[in-house]
Amino acid sequence: MSAIVRHGPCSRPSFSLGGTTHYITIQNVKKGQYIYVERQDSKNMFNRNSLQNADLTKFNCDSIESYTNSSNHYVTKYQCSETGDITFCVQNLALYRIAVVKDFKKIGTDFNYSTYSIDYPVNYNYNSSLANKALTPYEVTQTSYDATKSTVTMSVVSSGEIASGEGVILDGEKNTSYPIFTTDVNTTPTTNSNNALVGSGASTVSMNSAAADGYTNYIFTHTYYNIVDGKPSGDKQTSSKQCFYRWVKGDLAANKCYLHLKTSSSAKPYITFLLDDVPTAIEGINAEADTNGDDAYYTLTGIRISRPSKPGMYIHQGKKILVK
């Protein structure tokens, strides 16, 4: 029996291969791409049978690493040295998934969160099952926006599936690179029309082209400009925390996203975020004056309290307060 898996990014769901020998060919795998194979265990027969490019010459597809995942399945990661077709010889095993990966997303060096969008559907749950490195996607809905407190709620996408081009905020480990896995063959996630994160896709997006009447756009970052009369003033400032700052200057790079919120004429200069109703740590920001109406206190780890009960440093209405 022979099966064809076309070139990536792609993911082929599980099937059982018993009895006689079977051959699985992955066509036109690009140079440098990775192949993740999830199968029953390490003892079953799964061998590279042949590799050849368009000139019918042999090339290497090296096994980079192997490990057991959380489902107690065996995963092997391969990388190809040249572009070409790869045929695997298989016998007597359950083959759970073959995924070809061409793109990686690196989380920055200073924070665990990063924005992302890509021009094909993605399943971030495969980062746990195939790569043994969890990568959690969040969306932001317009209905989660509390204008009186300048906050939005970032909600986990539990299915892990994100539609092509849709914007998300990813939670991973800082300074770590993650493979991007597409959804299974014939699986097409539906775009969440309530998601206020807009993906930039494969192209840079200019600030003016993203503007729309009645809406304010925000960039998820830790650098910002002070705002005077709705315009940037002075040099770019740096904060020790990430949040959504009003987009007032510059372009947005490809494969990022921005927050597109329906707002009043007095749009907030910045918006903090909650992770499924758990406050994150926040700090004072020298942007346009904004008391934000929140009389609560926060610990430096982001825990919301009505009033401090013991000495220490707290956040209150956007400012650090030392309680003795």
Side-chain angles (χ1 to χ4, degrees):
M1 174 184 173
S2 296
I4 300 293
V5 179
R6 301 193 183 279
H7 72 279
C10 68
S11 180
R12 179 68 169 84
S14 61
F15 48 92
S16 295
L17 298 170
T20 60
T21 301
H22 306 270
Y23 297 94
I24 298 175
T25 298
I26 307 175
Q27 294 182 323
N28 197 27
V29 179
K30 305 300 182 183
K31 179 180 179 179
Q33 282 187 341
Y34 291 88
I35 302 172
Y36 290 77
V37 179
E38 181 185 9
R39 63 188 193 273
Q40 191 171 0
D41 58 48
S42 61
K43 297 178 182 179
N44 300 113
M45 180 180 175
F46 192 95
N47 298 316
R48 295 187 306 280
N49 179 260
S50 65
L51 310 93
Q52 61 184 28
N53 58 24
D55 297 325
L56 302 183
T57 55
K58 302 290 184 178
F59 65 94
N60 293 324
C61 182
D62 297 321
S63 173
I64 304 300
E65 59 179 325
S66 296
Y67 42 83
T68 301
N69 65 13
S70 57
S71 299
N72 205 32
H73 298 161
Y74 197 71
V75 178
T76 301
K77 175 182 175 183
Y78 301 91
Q79 185 179 30
C80 295
S81 63
E82 301 291 341
T83 297
D85 297 346
I86 301 172
T87 298
F88 290 96
C89 174
V90 186
Q91 188 176 28
N92 293 327
L93 84 161
L95 185 59
Y96 297 108
R97 182 161 280 103
I98 297 177
V100 182
V101 171
K102 71 169 185 175
D103 295 298
F104 283 76
K105 169 63 179 177
K106 186 174 183 179
I107 304 296
T109 57
D110 298 318
F111 302 99
N112 293 340
Y113 302 103
S114 183
T115 66
Y116 194 62
S117 63
I118 194 70
D119 58 355
Y120 51 82
V122 176
N123 191 327
Y124 290 101
N125 286 348
Y126 292 157
N127 285 89
S128 294
S129 62
L130 290 177
N132 264 5
K133 295 192 294 185
L135 187 62
T136 306
Y138 288 87
E139 293 179 336
V140 176
T141 61
Q142 173 70 44
T143 54
S144 77
Y145 175 48
D146 187 340
T148 65
K149 296 183 179 179
S150 299
T151 62
V152 291
T153 298
M154 300 201 312
S155 300
V156 174
V157 182
S158 57
S159 70
E161 294 184 347
I162 302 296
S164 175
E166 191 170 1
V168 291
I169 292 180
L170 299 176
D171 179 8
E173 294 184 13
K174 58 186 177 182
N175 203 30
T176 300
S177 185
Y178 291 86
I180 300 301
F181 295 99
T182 188
T183 54
D184 285 340
V185 175
N186 300 323
T187 299
T188 306
T190 302
T191 300
N192 180 2
S193 59
N194 293 318
N195 184 13
L197 294 172
V198 180
S200 59
S203 303
T204 299
V205 176
S206 69
M207 183 181 72
N208 290 336
S209 68
D213 290 341
Y215 287 82
T216 303
N217 294 328
Y218 294 85
I219 301 295
F220 189 69
T221 181
H222 70 292
T223 60
Y224 63 95
Y225 290 94
N226 290 326
I227 301 172
V228 177
D229 297 328
K231 296 181 180 180
S233 175
D235 296 331
K236 183 180 287 189
Q237 306 295 311
T238 301
S239 169
S240 62
K241 304 293 180 184
Q242 290 173 298
C243 71
F244 295 96
Y245 293 91
R246 198 193 302 181
W247 189 0
V248 292
K249 190 173 183 179
D251 296 334
L252 182 66
N255 301 126
K256 301 283 189 177
C257 67
Y258 61 93
L259 182 64
H260 186 64
L261 286 180
K262 189 173 184 179
T263 56
S264 63
S265 57
S266 56
K268 305 293 183 181
Y270 66 92
I271 296 175
T272 57
F273 64 94
L274 307 164
L275 295 179
D276 286 339
D277 300 326
V278 178
T280 58
I282 57 177
E283 63 175 22
I285 300 170
N286 295 322
E288 208 165 53
D290 177 29
T291 60
N292 107 25
D294 187 356
D295 197 42
Y297 290 77
Y298 295 84
T299 67
L300 294 183
T301 57
I303 304 301
R304 188 179 190 274
I305 57 177
S306 59
R307 188 165 292 277
S309 60
K310 56 184 179 181
M313 189 72 72
Y314 297 87
I315 308 298
H316 181 58
Q317 294 188 341
K319 297 179 180 180
K320 288 182 178 179
I321 304 293
L322 178 61
V323 176
K324 297 182 178 180

